[in-house]
Amino acid sequence: MITLDTPDTPFVVVDATRLDRNIQRLQHHLDTLGVPLRLHVKTSKSIDVARRVHADEPGPITVSTLGEAEYFADAGYRDILYAVGIDPHKLPRVAALIARGVDLTVLLDSSAQAEAVTGFSREHGVRIPALIEIDCDGHRGGVAPSDPALVEIAQILVDNLAGVLGHAGESYFAYTPDALRKAAENERDATVGAAHVLGIAGLPCPVVSVGSTPTAHSALDLAGVTEVRAGNYVFFDLVMAGLGICTPDDLALSVAVTVIGHQPAKNWIITDGGWMATSRDRGTQNQPVDQGYGLVTTLAGQPIPDLIMTGASQEHGILTPRPGTTHLTPDLPIGTRLRILPNHACATAAQHHRYHVINDASTTPVIDAVWTRHNGW
Amino acid sequence: MITLDTPDTPFVVVDATRLDRNIQRLQHHLDTLGVPLRLHVKTSKSIDVARRVHADEPGPITVSTLGEAEYFADAGYRDILYAVGIDPHKLPRVAALIARGVDLTVLLDSSAQAEAVTGFSREHGVRIPALIEIDCDGHRGGVAPSDPALVEIAQILVDNLAGVLGHAGESYFAYTPDALRKAAENERDATVGAAHVLGIAGLPCPVVSVGSTPTAHSALDLAGVTEVRAGNYVFFDLVMAGLGICTPDDLALSVAVTVIGHQPAKNWIITDGGWMATSRDRGTQNQPVDQGYGLVTTLAGQPIPDLIMTGASQEHGILTPRPGTTHLTPDLPIGTRLRILPNHACATAAQHHRYHVINDASTTPVIDAVWTRHNGW
């Protein structure tokens, strides 16, 4: 029997009970709003995780790289949105996926990209569906709904126009339920508003796509929206807990590590899990509560009060009591295994090639499965 | 002919001309000091890079994971130091490498680890050479040379004792030549001092191992030292440039990216190279000059004055003029390829599975080779 005591550390653990709970929670919320989910697979990059969402057959997904699109296409996924602004150089790979029968949609926000897509489309006799990225809140790319460029781009796209897409980047900085709800409303309003602008101009806009993990959970009304994208929510992480979207008890991804040393004079416990295992992501650094590189639990997943990973070199983690706490450093001898709940699931998962899957919370959980993931572009 | 314009971005580039220059520089310095190098392979994790250092036959190396040890053993490397404190659970893998004929040395700094090594060694009839980690400056693990634990651990190890190892963690915060030289002296003094303590106690200490990239380049005298470890120097990075160990023109590792958007009102250029391509490492954040996520060059490697990567999401990079500069955002249309010089070569390289190798600095350099690397544990 293989347990969390078996593989050499560090390795990454998925708690499938929490994973399924997270999946059901968002599905239930979107069911009540009557809008389908387009799972973003950039967090897990795993067919096995996607299958927990799409139990019966492959469903619609969002990808962040063409490598993900190819990996999921190989597993039978046919409805794929590549949600990073298209680099014209990548159009041959896009066309190759479409030629395989994949309904692959690209994203863009400039006339130059629209001309590249239209030109390639005409030259190669292939329709490349494209969404126009809408800038909701100034956090990344996109055109504002009121920007004349919106209609100009749509007019260049002609038959390739498939709709509009918004992403509420501001939601990652929204620390109250009210702020989160407003970010969701703003995301919807901007994106639906852009669709209206296209409609007035007589341009078809069948797809109105919105989403981020915070707004997907906070939206109360998605009228006019045709799909919601979310990805991080399958695992959640400390950044999401810091926003109040989940609690640390919902975190389905963690890193198993082993105590390899102590510096008692400094209250340090040293582990074999450094930033190579957790990533360098310090996403809670600018949140109200800085969680260092992560919260520490026992191997069974019980939180150890106020013990956090405060330092990291490549293959060393440093655990200390949270600054200001009255908790003492616990006595954890050499060889003790622990788990680290990470800041950012997308970044931590990307440091690994496979997931060790547990379903229980016994003292030494059994590893029931090993799931693979895709890395690279 | 494959050039830097050929593969889809993002991908990581190694400038072999700079790589060889960096390798020769340190080799020359250590030759004058009369101490051999034990290459740390944790930065490149690549047989192909190690072969530029060891042109004739595999030489002594340092690894940060047993996965690296196994990968290099498969390529014929036989003298390997595993320089992360040993987790007793990993001793069967250590013994398996020794059984294959690898001279594998482990590292430890506690009686508990020494007892585990000695117990395993006796039980399985295998000598496991162990170095005792010496704490030079309070930055990680190790025992101080004056700590009675040093002799106690050595006495537990008996025949497994191979020597002592020091690593000047403080050198990454030493911003003047004088401070760097002092860090190197301190690293040597502490480590050689520990060897003396063992000698006085009648305990053998054949290996006196020191090193970090900053101290390896700054040491003026290594009397008593038997080997120097360094790894980052093959590529160098902006953290090392910030310490004055190299200049940005020495950086041999970079990430090729493509412009996929603009937000002119914010002076943003958006690329397809986000933190997945550069890593989340912000190592220059606390240096005198914060380089964001990296410096921007043309595809040919010419620096673009004061253009830096200031923001990153998973697959998006944001380039802006350096805050406070008078340089305007250059006109870089959609599809323009650029390169990013990273903060931390070890972390950036770890985001990739292969290196695209160039040797020239023409407008569109030719890719002469693709080198692989090992990831995982």
Side-chain angles (χ1 to χ4, degrees), chain A residues 5-6 8-9 42 89-90 93 113 138 140 142 260 263 266 272 280-281 314-315 351 353 377, chain B residues 5-6 8 42 89-90 93 113 138 140 142 260 263 266 272 280-281 314-315 351 353 377:
Chain A
D5 259 339
T6 312
D8 283 340
T9 52
K42 80 184 181 80
H89 191 275
K90 298 187 177 109
R93 266 171 91 189
Q113 288 164 304
R140 207 166 65 190
I260 59 167
Q263 292 285 12
K266 290 185 289 230
D272 65 353
R280 267 293 195 200
D281 200 286
Q314 187 162 336
E315 298 291 348
Q351 301 296 108
H353 291 82
W377 289 268
Chain B
D5 259 339
T6 311
D8 283 341
K42 81 183 179 81
H89 191 274
K90 298 187 177 110
R93 265 171 93 189
Q113 288 165 304
R140 208 166 64 190
I260 59 167
Q263 292 286 13
K266 291 185 289 232
D272 65 354
R280 267 292 194 202
D281 200 286
Q314 187 162 334
E315 298 290 347
Q351 302 295 109
H353 290 83
W377 289 266

Side-chain angles (χ1 to χ4, degrees), chain A residues 5-11 42-43 45 64-66 68 82-90 93 107 109-110 112-113 133 135 137-143 258-263 266 268 270-272 275-277 279-282 285 313-316 318 334-335 337 344 346-348 350-353 373 375-377, chain B residues 5-11 42-43 45 64-66 68 82-90 93 107 109-110 112-113 133 135 137-143 258-263 266 268 270-272 275-277 279-282 285 313-316 318 334-335 337 344 346-348 350-353 373 375-377:
Chain A
D5 259 339
T6 312
D8 283 340
T9 52
F11 60 90
K42 80 184 181 80
T43 303
K45 301 201 183 197
S64 67
T65 68
L66 287 176
E68 286 165 48
Y82 170 41
V84 173
I86 190 70
D87 164 15
H89 191 275
K90 298 187 177 109
R93 266 171 91 189
L107 183 68
D109 69 352
S110 68
Q113 288 164 304
E133 186 170 3
D135 182 6
D137 47 30
H139 279 265
R140 207 166 65 190
V143 294
T258 301
V259 174
I260 59 167
H262 302 87
Q263 292 285 12
K266 290 185 289 230
W268 286 5
I270 300 177
T271 76
D272 65 353
W275 57 252
M276 190 66 85
S279 90
R280 267 293 195 200
D281 200 286
R282 287 281 290 102
Q285 186 172 24
S313 59
Q314 187 162 336
E315 298 291 348
H316 297 83
I318 296 176
I334 296 281
R337 290 189 170 208
H344 190 171
C346 311
T348 300
Q351 301 296 108
H352 299 265
H353 291 82
R373 58 171 275 136
N375 286 324
W377 289 268
Chain B
D5 259 339
T6 311
D8 283 341
T9 51
F11 59 89
K42 81 183 179 81
T43 304
K45 300 201 183 198
S64 67
T65 67
L66 288 176
E68 285 164 50
Y82 171 39
V84 174
I86 189 69
D87 163 15
H89 191 274
K90 298 187 177 110
R93 265 171 93 189
L107 183 68
D109 69 352
S110 68
Q113 288 165 304
E133 185 169 3
D135 182 7
D137 47 31
H139 279 266
R140 208 166 64 190
V143 293
T258 300
V259 174
I260 59 167
H262 302 87
Q263 292 286 13
K266 291 185 289 232
W268 286 4
I270 300 178
T271 76
D272 65 354
W275 57 252
M276 190 65 85
S279 91
R280 267 292 194 202
D281 200 286
R282 287 281 290 101
Q285 187 172 23
S313 59
Q314 187 162 334
E315 298 290 347
H316 296 83
I318 297 175
I334 296 281
R337 291 191 170 207
H344 189 171
C346 310
T348 301
Q351 302 295 109
H352 300 265
H353 290 83
R373 58 171 275 137
N375 285 325
W377 289 266

Side-chain angles (χ1 to χ4, degrees), chain B residues 46-311:
Chain B
S46 170
I47 302 290
D48 300 292
V49 172
R51 283 191 181 128
R52 306 296 273 221
V53 178
H54 305 130
D56 299 327
E57 56 181 12
I61 58 171
T62 316
V63 299
S64 67
T65 67
L66 288 176
E68 285 164 50
E70 290 157 352
Y71 163 80
F72 278 90
D74 289 345
Y77 280 78
R78 286 294 172 267
D79 181 0
I80 304 180
L81 165 63
Y82 171 39
V84 174
I86 189 69
D87 163 15
H89 191 274
K90 298 187 177 110
L91 287 170
R93 265 171 93 189
V94 169
L97 280 160
I98 292 173
R100 285 173 61 181
V102 176
D103 177 10
L104 185 74
T105 300
V106 301
L107 183 68
L108 50 79
D109 69 352
S110 68
S111 296
Q113 288 165 304
E115 279 159 10
V117 165
T118 308
F120 189 96
S121 188
R122 195 166 42 227
E123 194 177 336
H124 296 84
V126 55
R127 177 173 181 261
I128 300 175
L131 302 183
I132 301 175
E133 185 169 3
I134 306 304
D135 182 7
C136 305
D137 47 31
H139 279 266
R140 208 166 64 190
V143 293
S146 59
D147 188 330
L150 172 61
V151 171
E152 288 168 25
I153 294 166
Q155 285 170 334
I156 295 168
L157 284 173
V158 289
D159 291 346
N160 296 298
L161 178 63
V164 290
L165 173 148
H167 169 67
E170 68 175 330
S171 68
Y172 299 101
F173 308 92
Y175 291 103
T176 63
D178 191 51
L180 285 161
R181 189 177 43 74
K182 282 187 179 152
E185 284 173 7
N186 183 55
E187 183 183 60
R188 183 206 58 188
D189 290 350
T191 314
V192 173
H196 278 298
V197 169
L198 294 180
I200 290 164
L203 295 158
C205 187
V207 176
V208 181
S209 179
V210 301
S212 71
T213 283
T215 54
H217 290 78
S218 306
L220 298 179
D221 177 7
L222 289 172
V225 166
T226 66
E227 64 179 34
V228 170
R229 305 179 321 281
N232 177 286
Y233 80 101
V234 298
F235 293 151
F236 280 131
D237 53 32
L238 293 175
V239 166
M240 290 297 141
L243 294 174
I245 301 296
C246 65
T247 72
D249 287 341
D250 295 319
L251 270 54
L253 189 87
S254 58
V255 180
V257 303
T258 300
V259 174
I260 59 167
H262 302 87
Q263 292 286 13
K266 291 185 289 232
N267 289 319
W268 286 4
I269 296 167
I270 300 178
T271 76
D272 65 354
W275 57 252
M276 190 65 85
T278 59
S279 91
R280 267 292 194 202
D281 200 286
R282 287 281 290 101
T284 57
Q285 187 172 23
N286 296 316
Q287 287 197 331
V289 178
D290 184 346
Q291 306 282 24
Y293 284 94
L295 295 180
V296 185
T297 77
T298 65
L299 194 60
Q302 292 299 313
I304 301 179
D306 281 331
L307 189 67
I308 66 174
M309 179 171 158
T310 47

Side-chain angles (χ1 to χ4, degrees), chain A residues 91-106:
Chain A
L91 287 171
R93 266 171 91 189
V94 169
L97 280 160
I98 292 172
R100 285 173 60 183
V102 176
D103 178 10
L104 184 74
T105 300
V106 302

